Amino acid sequence: MTTPGTSTTSTTPTGSPAPASGDIDLSQNEFWALPQAQRHNAFAQLRALDDPPFFGDPETPFATDGSGYYALVRHADVVTASRNPEIFSSARGSTSLVDLPPEFNEYFGSMINMDDPRHARLRRIVSRAFTPRMIKKFEDDVQRTAAAIVDDLLATGPCDFVQHVSARLPLKIICDMMGIGDEHYTMVLRDTNTILAGGDPEFLSDDMDEAITQILTAGAELASLVTGVAADRQRSPADDLITALASANVDGEQLTPAELASFFILLVVAGNETTRTAISHALTLLTEHPDQRALLVADFDHRIGGAVEEIVRYVSPVIWMRRSVTRDVVVSGHQFHEGDKTALFYWSANRDESVFADPLRFDVTRSPNPHLGFGGAGPHFCLGAHLARREITAMLRELLLRVPTIRAAAEPDRLLSSFINGIKRLPCEFDQA
């Protein structure tokens, strides 16, 4: 495969893209296990290339084993691809470089694995359920839940921050939103961990057939849970999102049971894992950068908005998303061909020197900050961005103002994944009264 940093991209005499040189592929977990400085350096060199670097076998450039894709590593290229879904399609899958069956993509990805008009239809119906009254209720619930979690943290003392803090908030909020009872939390957390495990052996078997079975089982459990609750709500409506989703009607169209189940899987997986990742990294960043922590605490209300954006930029919880090229086209001076696979590397775009001054510096006062941590502008911009910002804000408010000495006590135990910049465990400590 490919090693970034020394790669060059060209075209073979047959017209196939020449591979970047080396032995590591950006989509492989081994690259993401490298020290962060090496990854930064590698992407900086890739961004300096004239063309998007190609990774894969030039003889079978877009084989279904996952080989053969262009890495869009510059901010401008990721934005261009995001704003042109008619060229850079999501319909062949956005979370895997392997071509999976369409049913599999839609089951686990819902609208993120669709193009318009199907994507627009589903998003319109889902958006109708998020009324201003319901959004206000979510916001109030977030603050109360964050306060309760910190109450428990103060009673527990130093502990695993992920288990006791960052994983609890988004899980509780999403389950409460959907009307899922506390008795299901453990199962929902287990299944979301499985679906987004990447190649981490703690969650998935290294046998491919067994791993696929584990993922399918996790998805089936979540789907069964939500369809059961939805059936109950049809008989007895409640003030929750499942009731709103099941009854949302746009021009006579409603979600089918399968669409509702698929959207629930997307919501609990994406909303749980990515917000948990951002909050976990936030503690590490504020521990490593006490000057930035002091700035934030000195004027929390004024600076927290910018701090949240900087955390999301720096962390980039979702490392990349895939798109497939729909026709022969020249974009940003590069010739793409129909069927080409591309990976939009948000992690790299958020460190682009041409957009962000001193991009490796964590700066809670950074402005402007046009990061792509919630995806690029376009139809697939994160539907849950507002909720994620609210959750990160609420948790940092409770932590920094009520537990002012809280800090990471060791290096984080990172998820072995090329797709999610996750943290599995993070010991924390603080001075106790």
Side-chain angles (χ1 to χ4, degrees), residues 63-373:
T64 56
D65 63 358
S67 63
Y69 68 94
Y70 288 99
L72 303 188
V73 294
R74 291 190 291 244
H75 189 279
D77 291 343
V78 173
V79 168
T80 297
S82 301
R83 288 177 171 169
N84 292 278
E86 73 283 359
I87 298 173
F88 293 90
S89 166
S90 301
R92 286 176 57 186
S94 59
T95 62
S96 174
L97 291 168
V98 177
D99 286 332
L100 301 172
E103 318 83 67
F104 190 97
N105 285 330
E106 292 185 16
Y107 186 64
F108 286 100
S110 183
M111 66 180 73
I112 67 170
N113 289 327
M114 296 178 186
D115 292 330
D116 289 343
R118 294 185 65 219
H119 170 269
R121 169 192 170 271
L122 192 57
R123 187 150 179 152
R124 279 196 305 270
I125 297 173
V126 167
S127 297
R128 181 67 59 89
F130 289 87
T131 63
R133 184 187 60 81
M134 187 165 287
I135 291 172
K136 179 63 166 61
K137 179 179 182 297
F138 298 162
E139 291 178 342
D140 293 343
D141 289 347
V142 167
Q143 195 62 57
R144 284 194 297 269
T145 302
I149 288 171
V150 172
D151 288 343
D152 292 344
L153 173 66
L154 289 168
T156 300
C159 57
D160 172 23
F161 185 77
V162 176
Q163 176 186 350
H164 291 275
V165 179
S166 61
R168 287 184 60 191
L169 180 61
L171 178 65
K172 171 73 171 170
I173 293 302
I174 289 171
C175 287
D176 285 357
M177 283 169 53
M178 298 294 285
I180 303 298
D182 293 7
E183 69 274 16
H184 299 295
Y185 286 6
T186 299
M187 182 267 281
V188 172
L189 181 61
R190 181 188 68 240
D191 288 342
T192 57
N193 284 341
T194 298
I195 292 170
L196 281 183
D200 197 305
E202 182 173 336
F203 302 109
L204 277 184
S205 170
D206 58 4
D207 178 270
M208 182 60 70
D209 290 337
E210 289 183 10
I212 291 174
T213 298
Q214 288 175 291
I215 293 171
L216 289 173
T217 299
E221 287 184 345
L222 293 173
S224 177
L225 173 63
V226 74
T227 52
V229 174
D232 289 341
R233 295 300 186 272
Q234 287 183 335
R235 294 186 292 269
S236 302
D239 187 22
D240 57 37
L241 189 56
I242 283 189
T243 300
L245 287 169
S247 61
N249 187 305
V250 177
D251 298 329
E253 289 192 280
Q254 292 180 275
L255 295 180
T256 67
E259 288 172 336
L260 177 61
S262 179
F263 178 70
F264 174 66
I265 293 172
L266 171 64
L267 186 66
V268 297
V269 171
N272 177 32
E273 179 70 32
T274 53
T275 306
R276 171 176 66 184
T277 291
I279 294 172
S280 300
H281 278 281
L283 181 63
T284 298
L285 288 169
L286 294 172
T287 300
E288 294 174 345
H289 301 276
D291 59 325
Q292 297 302 303
R293 180 185 187 131
L295 273 175
L296 176 56
V297 171
D299 192 355
F300 186 89
D301 287 335
H302 183 255
R303 293 189 175 129
I304 184 57
V308 169
E309 300 307 314
E310 179 68 346
I311 288 165
V312 174
R313 179 195 77 87
Y314 202 89
V315 172
S316 300
V318 176
I319 296 171
W320 56 266
M321 283 281 187
R322 170 187 162 182
R323 299 289 185 264
S324 301
V325 179
T326 60
R327 63 177 184 265
D328 290 1
V329 65
V330 175
V331 177
S332 299
H334 179 78
Q335 175 70 61
F336 289 96
H337 297 282
E338 180 181 357
D340 285 359
K341 298 176 185 177
T342 61
L344 282 58
F345 277 92
Y346 306 119
W347 198 88
S348 174
N350 284 338
R351 289 157 176 76
D352 191 328
E353 306 83 353
S354 69
V355 176
F356 302 98
D358 196 3
L360 303 190
R361 178 169 55 90
F362 177 64
D363 179 6
V364 299
T365 66
R366 182 181 296 277
S367 181
N369 190 351
H371 70 81
L372 306 178

Side-chain angles (χ1 to χ4, degrees), residues 47-60:
R47 287 191 295 271
L49 297 174
D50 292 334
D51 289 314
F54 176 80
F55 295 89
D57 181 354
E59 299 304 317
T60 55

